Amino acid sequence: DVADASGHDPGYVRSGRLQPIADAAALELARAREDTAKELWQDNARWTVTDTPTSKFRPHSPTGYWIHDTLSALIHPRQGCRALVEALVGKGVTIETEASDQGPTLWATGAAGLAALGEGRQRMVGTGIKGQAALLAYDARNAPQIFAGGLHVIPHGDGTVAVGSTTERIYDSPDTTDAALDQIIDTARTLVPTLRQAPVIERWAGLRPRARSRAPILGHWPGRPGHYIANGGFKIGFGMAPLIAEVMADLLLEGCDRIPAGFRVEDSL
């Protein structure tokens, strides 16, 4: 719908995911999960243990077996944001980078917002966790994404591959890349041999907001009538953002509270 409304490709594709199986115990567990996936996913997606993945863009597997699921999807973050903005503008929404707080105000302000929410409180509400990632020039479009050795390798439709990321609680600079990213790149090239000669075309670092509870923080900002919070998503926030947006829009505009237990602001204070 966003692509149709904006005329821009958000880079969404449900291309699945490959995971190498490390040892005999992991192989037994993976095969058991085939039955669980059939029950939970029904005919919508498959979880398969295979020794002959169809994609040549794949990680090395110590056992010679891989998990291939067709549930996983990916999106190009920058293309997705651009498409969303253009879709909203096309529907008459005005987007301003600076504006006064008028009417119900939702604060989705990341690590800085967690710090503001925690001011004057005895316990830390959350903090920013640094992540570093890189973009490589390699065309593996439509190949399954890869998860191996704790690393995500994401082939985008524009002929690039994203690899990442670090999880750093201690750092000198929140938005500067360093040797930690070099290690990520080296690991990706070791795990996925086809990337060994792929040049790095961009390096990125930034903070992800991690709530103390590790769950998103949603709801009214205590002591600030008319102000609301959507924060703390950390690693799952990007995937959950569409549903979080629906829940918070219902709360702000209709007064309908559908925030799940465990996600409420008071759960993190």
Side-chain angles (χ1 to χ4, degrees):
D1 291 345
V2 170
D4 290 342
S6 67
H8 294 285
D9 179 12
Y12 175 86
V13 59
R14 193 162 175 175
S15 51
R17 180 171 68 170
L18 277 179
Q19 302 178 68
I21 299 177
D23 52 38
L27 179 58
E28 182 180 358
L29 180 61
R31 283 176 167 156
R33 286 180 172 170
E34 285 184 308
D35 294 332
T36 306
K38 288 179 182 178
E39 177 185 351
L40 296 177
W41 299 350
Q42 300 180 12
D43 294 329
N44 297 304
R46 299 186 308 278
W47 170 290
T48 306
V49 175
T50 179
D51 60 356
T52 54
T54 56
S55 175
K56 294 181 179 179
F57 183 73
R58 61 179 183 246
H60 170 71
S61 173
T63 59
Y65 288 91
W66 292 260
I67 298 164
H68 180 208
D69 81 70
T70 60
L71 179 71
S72 299
L74 61 89
I75 194 169
H76 192 296
R78 289 175 178 165
Q79 289 181 201
C81 288
R82 178 191 178 193
L84 181 59
V85 167
E86 293 298 327
L88 291 170
V89 169
K91 291 182 176 294
V93 174
T94 299
I95 298 176
E96 300 178 358
T97 56
E98 295 292 341
S100 59
D101 301 334
Q102 297 179 357
T105 302
L106 176 64
W107 294 81
T109 49
L114 287 181
L117 181 60
E119 289 179 359
R121 304 186 188 278
Q122 293 183 345
R123 295 196 302 172
M124 182 180 68
V125 174
T127 189
I129 304 295
K130 182 178 179 179
Q132 298 186 53
L135 200 63
L136 281 63
Y138 186 85
D139 194 341
R141 67 189 71 197
N142 297 320
Q145 61 182 280
I146 292 168
F147 182 66
L151 185 67
H152 294 274
V153 181
I154 311 295
H156 288 301
D158 61 355
T160 63
V161 173
V163 298
S165 65
T166 62
T167 299
E168 304 172 56
R169 291 169 175 78
I170 301 174
Y171 46 85
D172 293 326
S173 172
D175 54 6
T176 301
T177 60
D178 53 36
L181 181 55
D182 295 333
Q183 182 61 53
I184 288 286
I185 296 168
D186 290 344
T187 300
R189 287 174 168 160
T190 300
L191 291 170
V192 188
T194 54
L195 292 177
R196 285 175 181 166
Q197 302 303 318
V200 177
I201 57 177
E202 187 173 355
R203 298 163 64 96
W204 176 91
L207 294 181
R208 293 164 293 184
R210 180 192 183 280
R212 188 182 67 248
S213 65
R214 297 182 67 89
I217 301 175
L218 310 176
H220 296 87
W221 189 321
R224 297 183 63 172
H227 291 253
Y228 302 81
I229 294 167
N231 208 323
F234 194 32
K235 294 182 179 181
I236 63 172
F238 188 79
M240 296 184 70
L243 185 55
I244 287 174
E246 289 184 14
V247 168
M248 294 309 297
D250 284 348
L251 181 60
L252 268 70
L253 302 178
E254 307 293 338
C256 175
D257 187 342
R258 297 191 293 120
I259 300 173
F263 283 21
R264 297 181 175 277
V265 173
E266 52 267 30
D267 297 326
S268 296
L269 299 181

